[in-house]
Amino acid sequence: MAEPVPLSTAYRTHALNEIQANGAFLIDVEVTVCGFMEANRGKGKICFVDLRDGTGKCQIFLKEGNVDETILTEIQNLSRESTIQVRGVVAQKRPPKVKEGEPIPPPEYEVVANHASVLAQAETPLPLGVTDSVHVELDTRLDNRFLDLRRKHVNAIFNLRSKILQYGREHLIKEGFKEMNSPKIIAAAAEGGTNLFPMKYFDRDAYLSQSPQLYKQLAVLGGLERVFEIGPAFRAEKHDTYRHLNEFVSFDIEMAWASDEDVMGVQERMIHHIWSQVAANEQHFVDDINAYRLTQDMEPIEVIPPTIPFPRVSYCDAIDLIQQSGQEIEWGDDIEAHHADIIAEKHNGFHFIPRWPMEMKPFYIYHDENEKSVSGGQLSRGFDLNYGRDEMTSGGQREHRTEILRSNLENMGLEPREFQFYIDGFRFGAPPHAGWGLGVARLTMVLTGSRNVRETVLFPRDRRRCTP
RNA sequence: GCCCGUGUGGUGUAGCGGUUAUCAUGAGGCGUUGUCGAUGCCUCGACCCGGGUUCGAUUCCCGGCACGGGCGCCA
């Protein structure tokens, strides 16, 4: 267990989960707590408040005689989600009445108030109910994300997202990676392909970066050896699907003296570490999500560390598989969503799709001239990681030979001169290297069973939404 | 950008060419209670916008806007 950290602040002596966790030792101790008032019961001489803070919940018991009468009335008439501060004494709760045959729940603790004050009163009605059982549409939720986030299962999703980043970082650092940051304002639409958001950089035209790709390679060329970056990427594509956003957080690595297979290994070990640690330490968040799913007639989610190594379904094998199912596809065609469904029937978890045709991969992907398909097409060292039908990662070994880089650009109809700053990095000695970029929100979707990437991004930016 | 669909109280829904517009949740009031999905009684609150058809449109038609689903686009 981690060392205890002080949770007391200027406003409270204890967090609410401390009252529940250490209640037996806190009985008769005077504490001051704060929180959102989830519900209040009682209009006469007593009042119960369900109080919630970012750590947990606790019942507050107010009774005429213990607290000032005006305070009692004020709390009794207070609107839900108002914030209050309570001073009182910890006591064991009287056990709730249970139906015959049902187990008696473990003891819980409450604070018997001797003083309370309202910190901020909530307006009514709430734009969405924090504890209500009624369904709320995603659009309403996103318009009121600050309230949506107070719902337990939503809060759990973002706690788990934070854990993905924490355990992912933890693992990469263990493997010798260093965290870096690349610029998000770039001068040129350097790579073609996806559309960039234009912006003004003082008097010049500039763009928002679509990927840290070139910069993390330059860091490796500079001798940082192994780097990772967790940062935003921007794409001005007018897509409108459950898995695309125009701003997203990309988890990127780049690694020297390495092949595509080497960095696939890093990735599967990292994902395995994340899943294992979540299963070991964060099950309560998963339980929160499942408690909600139960009310929505959804299957519960389970966090089971995936077996490594992940299956490798090479591009050629994938094409065969799709053809065998009767679909029209040829070597050199992109694997589209309905094709991915066929692969997912056989591999419903994580699986790599390595060795794509070189012509389908960007100019900086490495190829070995001896690696050709049966039909003679040039293969590359580019790969994807999919979960079921959904793409999580795009990666590969990078081309480190300056002359090949130049000819790749020419073969793809790009102008080598426009990439001079990039090619320059390779002119004075370059290690073979490889890397990948992983969509954090997409991985969080998998972990939390979310079916829309907007569920796993606090304030998503899509084609229509730019606020809040 | 394409195809399909949906817009009804704060939230989520039912329904209809003429209704007192359904239900849940919520909000307000009063009462009771060591309550805990509190509870009993009372009250409040809605047909996306514009045009058309019609005696009459929330309902049918057209347009707009918003949203949802699927796809495309997508290092």
Side-chain angles (χ1 to χ4, degrees):
Chain A
M1 282 300 288
E3 284 180 33
V5 291
L7 293 172
S8 65
T9 67
Y11 285 89
R12 70 182 186 196
T13 61
H14 293 75
L16 296 182
N17 78 327
E18 292 180 292
I19 307 285
Q20 293 308 338
N22 309 326
F25 305 103
L26 288 171
I27 284 180
D28 293 336
V29 174
E30 186 172 85
V31 297
T32 303
V33 294
C34 292
F36 297 92
M37 189 187 80
E38 224 171 61
N40 58 354
R41 293 177 290 278
K43 288 280 171 61
K45 293 173 178 165
I46 59 172
C47 177
F48 301 95
V49 169
D50 292 338
L51 199 64
R52 180 194 70 243
D53 68 10
T55 69
K57 290 183 189 181
C58 185
Q59 175 168 284
I60 308 297
F61 179 43
L62 300 98
K63 190 178 175 183
E64 197 177 272
N66 284 0
V67 292
D68 196 271
E69 204 169 313
T70 56
I71 289 170
L72 181 62
T73 308
E74 188 181 15
I75 299 295
Q76 282 172 331
N77 293 328
L78 195 60
S79 49
R80 297 191 303 172
E81 294 303 314
S82 297
T83 52
I84 61 174
Q85 183 184 44
V86 178
R87 192 181 70 217
V89 171
V90 177
Q92 187 167 336
K93 255 177 86 173
R94 299 194 187 176
K97 289 173 201 136
V98 290
K99 283 173 191 157
E100 215 161 303
E102 286 187 18
I104 296 162
E108 286 188 64
Y109 300 89
E110 66 180 7
V111 173
V112 180
N114 52 45
H115 186 76
S117 60
V118 176
L119 298 170
Q121 188 167 343
E123 289 178 30
T124 59
L126 299 169
L128 63 87
V130 172
T131 55
D132 298 355
S133 53
V134 295
H135 178 258
V136 189
E137 294 210 339
L138 186 57
D139 206 46
T140 305
R141 293 173 48 200
L142 293 177
D143 283 340
N144 302 279
R145 192 57 131 170
F146 57 92
L147 266 182
D148 182 47
L149 197 52
R150 294 184 197 176
R151 305 202 298 164
K152 205 171 189 182
H153 67 284
V154 179
N155 209 277
I157 288 173
F158 288 98
N159 271 285
L160 286 171
R161 183 185 159 113
S162 166
K163 291 300 174 186
I164 285 176
L165 296 176
Q166 179 188 328
Y167 293 130
R169 262 198 183 92
E170 185 177 281
H171 182 81
L172 289 179
I173 290 167
K174 202 167 64 193
E175 292 209 15
F177 286 82
K178 297 137 205 171
E179 186 155 8
M180 64 168 280
N181 299 283
S182 64
K184 300 305 158 201
I185 301 171
I186 58 173
E191 299 169 52
T194 196
N195 294 318
L196 304 186
F197 286 108
M199 59 167 286
K200 273 287 175 203
Y201 188 67
F202 301 110
D203 295 331
R204 272 181 288 170
D205 289 328
Y207 301 88
L208 290 175
S209 168
Q210 60 177 305
S211 160
Q213 179 61 35
L214 305 186
Y215 293 97
K216 63 184 182 169
Q217 284 190 261
L218 291 174
V220 166
L221 292 171
L224 272 182
E225 188 91 0
R226 296 182 178 195
V227 296
F228 72 99
E229 170 162 335
I230 302 169
F234 305 89
R235 302 207 177 156
E237 300 292 342
K238 291 183 178 176
H239 34 49
D240 204 0
T241 76
Y242 68 89
R243 59 189 183 279
H244 288 96
L245 292 174
N246 296 296
E247 175 181 351
F248 62 97
V249 172
S250 179
F251 199 139
D252 273 86
I253 77 157
E254 204 66 34
M255 178 178 178
W257 324 111
S259 72
D260 51 342
E261 190 53 46
D262 288 322
V263 292
M264 283 191 264
V266 173
Q267 181 153 64
E268 61 199 356
R269 288 191 297 276
M270 183 182 96
I271 290 175
H272 184 267
H273 179 74
I274 293 169
W275 255 244
S276 305
Q277 292 300 305
V278 168
N281 308 320
E282 319 297 343
Q283 184 59 39
H284 58 291
F285 292 129
V286 177
D287 294 342
D288 288 345
I289 291 171
N290 283 337
Y292 174 77
R293 290 174 75 92
L294 195 62
T295 69
Q296 303 296 308
D297 292 321
M298 295 166 82
E299 290 291 312
I301 56 167
E302 280 185 280
V303 178
I304 300 167
T307 307
I308 54 174
F310 296 160
R312 269 73 166 157
V313 185
S314 73
Y315 174 85
C316 294
D317 290 347
I319 296 296
D320 283 348
L321 207 60
I322 296 160
Q323 284 174 340
Q324 279 163 28
S325 79
Q327 294 255 8
E328 288 280 326
I329 193 166
E330 285 180 34
W331 195 91
D333 288 345
D334 199 6
I335 296 176
E336 293 172 358
H338 59 285
H339 299 134
D341 286 332
I342 294 159
I343 302 169
E345 280 173 25
K346 209 172 165 186
H347 303 280
N348 55 9
F350 289 109
H351 57 276
F352 285 111
I353 304 181
R355 306 290 162 111
W356 287 68
M358 187 59 201
E359 64 187 44
M360 299 176 65
K361 283 292 164 183
F363 72 92
Y364 54 76
I365 290 291
Y366 177 83
H367 68 278
D368 180 332
E369 289 75 2
N370 299 316
E371 293 171 350
K372 302 257 170 84
S373 74
V374 178
S375 52
Q378 178 64 55
L379 296 174
S380 78
R381 292 299 189 88
F383 67 88
D384 285 357
L385 173 74
N386 281 27
Y387 183 91
R389 78 193 300 255
D390 294 322
E391 184 182 329
M392 298 284 121
T393 288
S394 184
Q397 182 172 342
R398 318 307 189 187
E399 183 54 69
H400 59 281
R401 300 163 294 184
T402 319
E403 283 317 305
I404 311 270
L405 271 176
R406 287 205 182 93
S407 65
N408 281 353
L409 283 165
E410 281 162 7
N411 291 342
M412 292 175 187
L414 297 167
E415 179 54 61
R417 263 177 307 173
E418 288 182 18
F419 295 85
Q420 197 57 51
F421 81 102
Y422 177 71
I423 291 172
D424 279 348
F426 293 84
R427 286 169 56 207
F428 309 103
H433 60 289
W436 41 256
L438 168 69
V440 172
R442 288 187 183 182
L443 192 64
T444 310
M445 281 173 76
V446 173
L447 185 72
T448 62
S450 303
R451 287 188 300 198
N452 191 315
V453 71
R454 292 160 184 79
E455 297 259 9
T456 63
V457 175
L458 261 184
F459 299 105
R461 290 290 176 263
D462 63 28
R463 190 172 175 176
R464 297 192 179 87
R465 181 175 289 276
C466 201
T467 54

mmCIF file of all heavy atoms in Angstrom, chain A residues 233-258:
data_model
loop_
_atom_site.group_PDB
_atom_site.id
_atom_site.type_symbol
_atom_site.label_atom_id
_atom_site.label_comp_id
_atom_site.label_asym_id
_atom_site.label_seq_id
_atom_site.Cartn_x
_atom_site.Cartn_y
_atom_site.Cartn_z
ATOM 1 N N ALA A 233 -3.298 15.653 -30.426
ATOM 2 C CA ALA A 233 -3.103 15.683 -31.878
ATOM 3 C C ALA A 233 -4.397 16.222 -32.469
ATOM 4 O O ALA A 233 -5.482 16.006 -31.914
ATOM 5 C CB ALA A 233 -2.809 14.286 -32.405
ATOM 6 N N PHE A 234 -4.262 16.932 -33.567
ATOM 7 C CA PHE A 234 -5.413 17.621 -34.156
ATOM 8 C C PHE A 234 -5.583 17.208 -35.606
ATOM 9 O O PHE A 234 -4.625 17.233 -36.372
ATOM 10 C CB PHE A 234 -5.201 19.133 -34.082
ATOM 11 C CG PHE A 234 -4.922 19.640 -32.700
ATOM 12 C CD1 PHE A 234 -3.619 19.711 -32.227
ATOM 13 C CD2 PHE A 234 -5.956 20.006 -31.849
ATOM 14 C CE1 PHE A 234 -3.350 20.154 -30.931
ATOM 15 C CE2 PHE A 234 -5.694 20.451 -30.558
ATOM 16 C CZ PHE A 234 -4.384 20.523 -30.108
ATOM 17 N N ARG A 235 -6.796 16.850 -35.977
ATOM 18 C CA ARG A 235 -7.031 16.470 -37.375
ATOM 19 C C ARG A 235 -8.320 17.124 -37.862
ATOM 20 O O ARG A 235 -9.372 16.961 -37.264
ATOM 21 C CB ARG A 235 -7.129 14.950 -37.497
ATOM 22 C CG ARG A 235 -5.836 14.340 -36.967
ATOM 23 C CD ARG A 235 -5.476 13.038 -37.526
ATOM 24 N NE ARG A 235 -4.193 12.657 -36.956
ATOM 25 C CZ ARG A 235 -3.746 11.419 -36.838
ATOM 26 N NH1 ARG A 235 -4.488 10.422 -37.294
ATOM 27 N NH2 ARG A 235 -2.576 11.166 -36.315
ATOM 28 N N ALA A 236 -8.192 17.817 -38.971
ATOM 29 C CA ALA A 236 -9.326 18.588 -39.489
ATOM 30 C C ALA A 236 -10.149 17.749 -40.465
ATOM 31 O O ALA A 236 -10.459 18.191 -41.563
ATOM 32 C CB ALA A 236 -8.820 19.861 -40.151
ATOM 33 N N GLU A 237 -10.478 16.537 -40.069
ATOM 34 C CA GLU A 237 -11.273 15.660 -40.924
ATOM 35 C C GLU A 237 -12.740 15.752 -40.526
ATOM 36 O O GLU A 237 -13.062 15.726 -39.346
ATOM 37 C CB GLU A 237 -10.810 14.208 -40.761
ATOM 38 C CG GLU A 237 -9.356 13.976 -41.134
ATOM 39 C CD GLU A 237 -9.101 14.144 -42.617
ATOM 40 O OE1 GLU A 237 -10.079 14.101 -43.393
ATOM 41 O OE2 GLU A 237 -7.927 14.332 -42.984
ATOM 42 N N LYS A 238 -13.613 15.783 -41.517
ATOM 43 C CA LYS A 238 -15.042 15.890 -41.210
ATOM 44 C C LYS A 238 -15.644 14.516 -40.989
ATOM 45 O O LYS A 238 -16.608 14.136 -41.637
ATOM 46 C CB LYS A 238 -15.763 16.624 -42.342
ATOM 47 C CG LYS A 238 -15.383 18.077 -42.398
ATOM 48 C CD LYS A 238 -16.143 18.811 -43.475
ATOM 49 C CE LYS A 238 -15.777 20.296 -43.484
ATOM 50 N NZ LYS A 238 -16.435 21.007 -44.595
ATOM 51 N N HIS A 239 -15.011 13.769 -40.095
ATOM 52 C CA HIS A 239 -15.571 12.454 -39.812
ATOM 53 C C HIS A 239 -16.585 12.565 -38.691
ATOM 54 O O HIS A 239 -16.616 13.525 -37.936
ATOM 55 C CB HIS A 239 -14.494 11.432 -39.490
ATOM 56 C CG HIS A 239 -13.314 11.980 -38.753
ATOM 57 N ND1 HIS A 239 -13.443 12.755 -37.645
ATOM 58 C CD2 HIS A 239 -11.991 11.867 -38.987
ATOM 59 C CE1 HIS A 239 -12.247 13.093 -37.221
ATOM 60 N NE2 HIS A 239 -11.342 12.586 -38.013
ATOM 61 N N ASP A 240 -17.404 11.562 -38.600
ATOM 62 C CA ASP A 240 -18.535 11.637 -37.694
ATOM 63 C C ASP A 240 -18.890 10.218 -37.271
ATOM 64 O O ASP A 240 -19.862 9.648 -37.725
ATOM 65 C CB ASP A 240 -19.708 12.286 -38.447
ATOM 66 C CG ASP A 240 -20.679 12.918 -37.491
ATOM 67 O OD1 ASP A 240 -20.446 12.852 -36.272
ATOM 68 O OD2 ASP A 240 -21.675 13.469 -37.958
ATOM 69 N N THR A 241 -18.057 9.645 -36.439
ATOM 70 C CA THR A 241 -18.252 8.252 -36.041
ATOM 71 C C THR A 241 -18.057 8.109 -34.532
ATOM 72 O O THR A 241 -17.645 9.052 -33.865
ATOM 73 C CB THR A 241 -17.227 7.310 -36.704
ATOM 74 O OG1 THR A 241 -15.965 7.460 -36.034
ATOM 75 C CG2 THR A 241 -17.042 7.620 -38.174
ATOM 76 N N TYR A 242 -18.325 6.920 -34.035
ATOM 77 C CA TYR A 242 -18.175 6.677 -32.606
ATOM 78 C C TYR A 242 -16.713 6.641 -32.178
ATOM 79 O O TYR A 242 -16.424 6.633 -30.997
ATOM 80 C CB TYR A 242 -18.866 5.358 -32.220
ATOM 81 C CG TYR A 242 -18.203 4.117 -32.779
ATOM 82 C CD1 TYR A 242 -17.190 3.477 -32.065
ATOM 83 C CD2 TYR A 242 -18.569 3.588 -34.007
ATOM 84 C CE1 TYR A 242 -16.562 2.354 -32.583
ATOM 85 C CE2 TYR A 242 -17.958 2.483 -34.531
ATOM 86 C CZ TYR A 242 -16.953 1.867 -33.811
ATOM 87 O OH TYR A 242 -16.330 0.752 -34.326
ATOM 88 N N ARG A 243 -15.777 6.591 -33.145
ATOM 89 C CA ARG A 243 -14.381 6.420 -32.752
ATOM 90 C C ARG A 243 -13.454 7.539 -33.198
ATOM 91 O O ARG A 243 -12.256 7.456 -32.980
ATOM 92 C CB ARG A 243 -13.870 5.078 -33.270
ATOM 93 C CG ARG A 243 -13.966 4.938 -34.764
ATOM 94 C CD ARG A 243 -13.652 3.512 -35.216
ATOM 95 N NE ARG A 243 -13.680 3.438 -36.667
ATOM 96 C CZ ARG A 243 -14.781 3.333 -37.404
ATOM 97 N NH1 ARG A 243 -15.952 3.240 -36.820
ATOM 98 N NH2 ARG A 243 -14.719 3.296 -38.718
ATOM 99 N N HIS A 244 -13.977 8.580 -33.821
ATOM 100 C CA HIS A 244 -13.130 9.676 -34.281
ATOM 101 C C HIS A 244 -13.442 10.980 -33.565
ATOM 102 O O HIS A 244 -14.594 11.315 -33.341
ATOM 103 C CB HIS A 244 -13.336 9.926 -35.779
ATOM 104 C CG HIS A 244 -12.767 8.867 -36.656
ATOM 105 N ND1 HIS A 244 -13.527 7.843 -37.148
ATOM 106 C CD2 HIS A 244 -11.508 8.670 -37.107
ATOM 107 C CE1 HIS A 244 -12.751 7.056 -37.891
ATOM 108 N NE2 HIS A 244 -11.525 7.536 -37.878
ATOM 109 N N LEU A 245 -12.376 11.741 -33.255
ATOM 110 C CA LEU A 245 -12.525 13.098 -32.758
ATOM 111 C C LEU A 245 -11.526 13.982 -33.488
ATOM 112 O O LEU A 245 -10.557 13.487 -34.064
ATOM 113 C CB LEU A 245 -12.253 13.160 -31.249
ATOM 114 C CG LEU A 245 -13.268 12.470 -30.334
ATOM 115 C CD1 LEU A 245 -12.787 12.496 -28.903
ATOM 116 C CD2 LEU A 245 -14.634 13.122 -30.448
ATOM 117 N N ASN A 246 -11.756 15.275 -33.462
ATOM 118 C CA ASN A 246 -10.834 16.177 -34.151
ATOM 119 C C ASN A 246 -9.668 16.605 -33.282
ATOM 120 O O ASN A 246 -8.681 17.114 -33.765
ATOM 121 C CB ASN A 246 -11.593 17.387 -34.686
ATOM 122 C CG ASN A 246 -12.599 16.961 -35.735
ATOM 123 O OD1 ASN A 246 -12.214 16.466 -36.785
ATOM 124 N ND2 ASN A 246 -13.872 17.087 -35.424
ATOM 125 N N GLU A 247 -9.816 16.394 -31.978
ATOM 126 C CA GLU A 247 -8.692 16.562 -31.062
ATOM 127 C C GLU A 247 -8.662 15.315 -30.192
ATOM 128 O O GLU A 247 -9.687 14.946 -29.623
ATOM 129 C CB GLU A 247 -8.883 17.808 -30.186
ATOM 130 C CG GLU A 247 -7.803 17.946 -29.131
ATOM 131 C CD GLU A 247 -7.983 19.173 -28.228
ATOM 132 O OE1 GLU A 247 -8.842 20.018 -28.525
ATOM 133 O OE2 GLU A 247 -7.259 19.259 -27.240
ATOM 134 N N PHE A 248 -7.521 14.682 -30.121
ATOM 135 C CA PHE A 248 -7.434 13.489 -29.289
ATOM 136 C C PHE A 248 -6.044 13.395 -28.676
ATOM 137 O O PHE A 248 -5.107 14.048 -29.136
ATOM 138 C CB PHE A 248 -7.759 12.225 -30.093
ATOM 139 C CG PHE A 248 -6.804 11.956 -31.229
ATOM 140 C CD1 PHE A 248 -5.741 11.071 -31.057
ATOM 141 C CD2 PHE A 248 -6.965 12.563 -32.444
ATOM 142 C CE1 PHE A 248 -4.853 10.815 -32.099
ATOM 143 C CE2 PHE A 248 -6.076 12.315 -33.493
ATOM 144 C CZ PHE A 248 -5.027 11.447 -33.318
ATOM 145 N N VAL A 249 -5.949 12.588 -27.625
ATOM 146 C CA VAL A 249 -4.660 12.425 -26.961
ATOM 147 C C VAL A 249 -4.021 11.144 -27.470
ATOM 148 O O VAL A 249 -4.626 10.074 -27.436
ATOM 149 C CB VAL A 249 -4.821 12.392 -25.431
ATOM 150 C CG1 VAL A 249 -3.493 12.027 -24.773
ATOM 151 C CG2 VAL A 249 -5.284 13.753 -24.941
ATOM 152 N N SER A 250 -2.803 11.307 -27.958
ATOM 153 C CA SER A 250 -2.078 10.187 -28.536
ATOM 154 C C SER A 250 -0.949 9.790 -27.598
ATOM 155 O O SER A 250 -0.246 10.637 -27.055
ATOM 156 C CB SER A 250 -1.517 10.628 -29.893
ATOM 157 O OG SER A 250 -0.794 9.588 -30.491
ATOM 158 N N PHE A 251 -0.826 8.501 -27.384
ATOM 159 C CA PHE A 251 0.233 7.945 -26.531
ATOM 160 C C PHE A 251 1.256 7.364 -27.489
ATOM 161 O O PHE A 251 1.003 6.352 -28.123
ATOM 162 C CB PHE A 251 -0.382 6.859 -25.636
ATOM 163 C CG PHE A 251 0.414 6.510 -24.419
ATOM 164 C CD1 PHE A 251 -0.229 6.303 -23.205
ATOM 165 C CD2 PHE A 251 1.788 6.363 -24.458
ATOM 166 C CE1 PHE A 251 0.478 5.969 -22.064
ATOM 167 C CE2 PHE A 251 2.508 6.041 -23.323
ATOM 168 C CZ PHE A 251 1.849 5.842 -22.123
ATOM 169 N N ASP A 252 2.399 8.038 -27.604
ATOM 170 C CA ASP A 252 3.380 7.713 -28.640
ATOM 171 C C ASP A 252 4.688 7.227 -28.039
ATOM 172 O O ASP A 252 5.110 7.729 -27.003
ATOM 173 C CB ASP A 252 3.691 8.979 -29.458
ATOM 174 C CG ASP A 252 2.729 9.170 -30.608
ATOM 175 O OD1 ASP A 252 1.672 9.767 -30.376
ATOM 176 O OD2 ASP A 252 3.045 8.703 -31.721
ATOM 177 N N ILE A 253 5.321 6.289 -28.707
ATOM 178 C CA ILE A 253 6.698 5.955 -28.331
ATOM 179 C C ILE A 253 7.572 5.928 -29.576
ATOM 180 O O ILE A 253 7.080 5.795 -30.711
ATOM 181 C CB ILE A 253 6.847 4.587 -27.618
ATOM 182 C CG1 ILE A 253 6.779 3.424 -28.612
ATOM 183 C CG2 ILE A 253 5.839 4.415 -26.490
ATOM 184 C CD1 ILE A 253 7.438 2.153 -28.100
ATOM 185 N N GLU A 254 8.880 6.049 -29.370
ATOM 186 C CA GLU A 254 9.857 5.857 -30.430
ATOM 187 C C GLU A 254 11.102 5.268 -29.780
ATOM 188 O O GLU A 254 11.467 5.659 -28.667
ATOM 189 C CB GLU A 254 10.170 7.197 -31.120
ATOM 190 C CG GLU A 254 10.687 7.074 -32.532
ATOM 191 C CD GLU A 254 9.669 6.505 -33.524
ATOM 192 O OE1 GLU A 254 8.460 6.761 -33.387
ATOM 193 O OE2 GLU A 254 10.108 5.767 -34.432
ATOM 194 N N MET A 255 11.752 4.331 -30.456
ATOM 195 C CA MET A 255 12.781 3.511 -29.816
ATOM 196 C C MET A 255 13.902 3.206 -30.808
ATOM 197 O O MET A 255 13.648 2.782 -31.936
ATOM 198 C CB MET A 255 12.098 2.212 -29.379
ATOM 199 C CG MET A 255 12.950 1.180 -28.726
ATOM 200 S SD MET A 255 11.813 -0.182 -28.292
ATOM 201 C CE MET A 255 12.976 -1.331 -27.582
ATOM 202 N N ALA A 256 15.138 3.440 -30.376
ATOM 203 C CA ALA A 256 16.295 3.244 -31.248
ATOM 204 C C ALA A 256 16.717 1.781 -31.312
ATOM 205 O O ALA A 256 16.425 1.000 -30.398
ATOM 206 C CB ALA A 256 17.469 4.082 -30.756
ATOM 207 N N TRP A 257 17.449 1.431 -32.386
ATOM 208 C CA TRP A 257 18.000 0.092 -32.587
ATOM 209 C C TRP A 257 16.895 -0.954 -32.479
ATOM 210 O O TRP A 257 17.077 -1.970 -31.824
ATOM 211 C CB TRP A 257 19.112 -0.217 -31.564
ATOM 212 C CG TRP A 257 19.968 0.966 -31.215
ATOM 213 C CD1 TRP A 257 20.014 1.616 -30.031
ATOM 214 C CD2 TRP A 257 20.908 1.624 -32.081
ATOM 215 N NE1 TRP A 257 20.905 2.662 -30.080
ATOM 216 C CE2 TRP A 257 21.476 2.693 -31.342
ATOM 217 C CE3 TRP A 257 21.313 1.452 -33.404
ATOM 218 C CZ2 TRP A 257 22.424 3.559 -31.867
ATOM 219 C CZ3 TRP A 257 22.270 2.326 -33.921
ATOM 220 C CH2 TRP A 257 22.813 3.350 -33.164
ATOM 221 N N ALA A 258 15.756 -0.678 -33.085
ATOM 222 C CA ALA A 258 14.615 -1.562 -32.877
ATOM 223 C C ALA A 258 13.845 -1.799 -34.174
ATOM 224 O O ALA A 258 13.826 -0.956 -35.073
ATOM 225 C CB ALA A 258 13.671 -0.954 -31.836
#
